[in-house]
Amino acid sequence: MSDDTHTPTDNAATVSEPSATAAPSGARVLDVAGLSGGYGQIQVLHGLDFHVDDGEIVVILGANGAGKTTTLRAVSGMIATTGSVTLRGEQILGKKTPDIVRKGVAHVPQGRGTLPELSVEDNLRVGAYIRKDGEVDADIERWFDVYPVLRERRNQRAGSLSGGEQQMLAVSRALMSRPDLLLLDEPSLGLAPLIVQDLFARFAEINKETGMTMLVVEQNAQLALGIADRGYVIESGTIAFDGPADELMHDDKIRKAYLGV
Ligand code: ATP
């Protein structure tokens, strides 16, 4: 049984070894234009346009069923779509998911996607499978510094971790591929509020100290806008609003529809 009621205080560490890329360069990492598609005959996305620049945290908000998860799946090449998806100027729409991973996109799916039968450490090693450098062990220690509870549980089966710990593992596993762009699909799902706050604070820290570019899909608008640079709101498979996170946070329409105020 997972237990999401742990307080996050035992994980209080800062991100070590900031990389040389910590300052956002403003270069376009992801550019999505006219993205349409869905599942067989069911069209979910109706011409989405959005982008993510180097070093940004961008959040995609929207109601249940609006198409947020489908958007991330489309970027990762998991569903057939039309339009354009470029990664640092290179067209990736139509490429297979493993190729998109190799090009630098790491996707933490809803429900986390750890390998429950493998140990925490082996999950991290699997996350580094595309790498050929000799720094995998050092990176494992680095993410253990960020999430010390994972170090304590390094030999434990991933499936025996609490929900919050599994989410930390899923994020660390994705980071082990040294991605250029991290896609996070509703990281708060099913977690207790304190755990979620800690998780988001850690995303902000990772972004600040390593410059990691993140595209986050989230229903918890308040929390996500709190760490994001910019946001987009999807309604029925199109972008209904977009803007800087602090503007969206203070926009009456957004507040009524997504912030419950
Ligand atoms: P949620 O927050 O509930 O996950 P979402 O905005 O992420 O919502 P999606 O999961 O992208 O929404 O789903 C968009 C639409 O696509 C919904 O109507 C959903 O029922 C449909 N859908 C999702 N997955 C599939 C699938 N595998 N096959 C058919 N339809 C699907």
Side-chain angles (χ1 to χ4, degrees), residues 39 42 44 62-71 73 110 185-186 217 219:
Y39 307 92
I42 306 167
V44 176
N64 271 329
K68 304 181 301 294
T69 292
T70 306
T71 302
R73 287 188 184 142
Q110 217 175 75
D185 192 352
E186 229 155 301
V217 154
Q219 287 220 25

Side-chain angles (χ1 to χ4, degrees), residues 34-185:
L35 186 67
S36 297
Y39 307 92
Q41 300 298 310
I42 306 167
Q43 193 178 350
V44 176
L45 307 179
H46 302 273
L48 294 190
D49 299 311
F50 65 93
H51 65 270
V52 185
D53 289 340
D54 219 351
E56 277 192 313
I57 299 181
V58 172
V59 62
I60 297 182
L61 305 172
N64 271 329
K68 304 181 301 294
T69 292
T70 306
T71 302
L72 291 194
R73 287 188 184 142
V75 170
S76 282
M78 295 171 182
I79 58 167
T81 44
T82 57
S84 170
V85 180
T86 60
L87 186 69
R88 296 215 182 261
E90 185 186 351
Q91 187 61 245
I92 57 169
L93 189 142
K95 292 197 185 304
K96 293 192 168 30
T97 302
D99 296 329
I100 294 173
V101 172
R102 275 190 195 87
K103 291 193 180 298
V105 178
H107 188 156
V108 180
Q110 217 175 75
R112 288 145 211 157
T114 55
L115 299 164
E117 296 307 323
L118 294 188
S119 70
V120 165
E121 183 172 339
D122 285 346
N123 265 274
L124 296 178
R125 291 194 186 282
V126 170
Y129 78 98
I130 60 168
R131 290 172 48 184
K132 299 200 166 37
D133 61 85
E135 295 173 18
V136 170
D137 286 345
D139 274 12
I140 289 176
E141 294 308 320
R142 177 186 191 188
W143 298 118
F144 281 167
D145 287 344
V146 176
Y147 297 116
V149 70
L150 297 181
R151 176 177 280 123
E152 288 165 25
R153 311 219 187 300
R154 72 190 299 158
N155 298 316
Q156 215 169 297
R157 275 178 57 247
S160 70
L161 302 182
S162 74
E165 291 162 357
Q166 288 197 32
Q167 188 60 268
M168 293 173 206
L169 178 59
V171 171
S172 305
R173 191 171 87 125
L175 291 167
M176 284 299 296
S177 68
R178 290 194 171 178
D180 204 12
L181 172 66
L182 181 64
L183 307 180
L184 296 166
D185 192 352

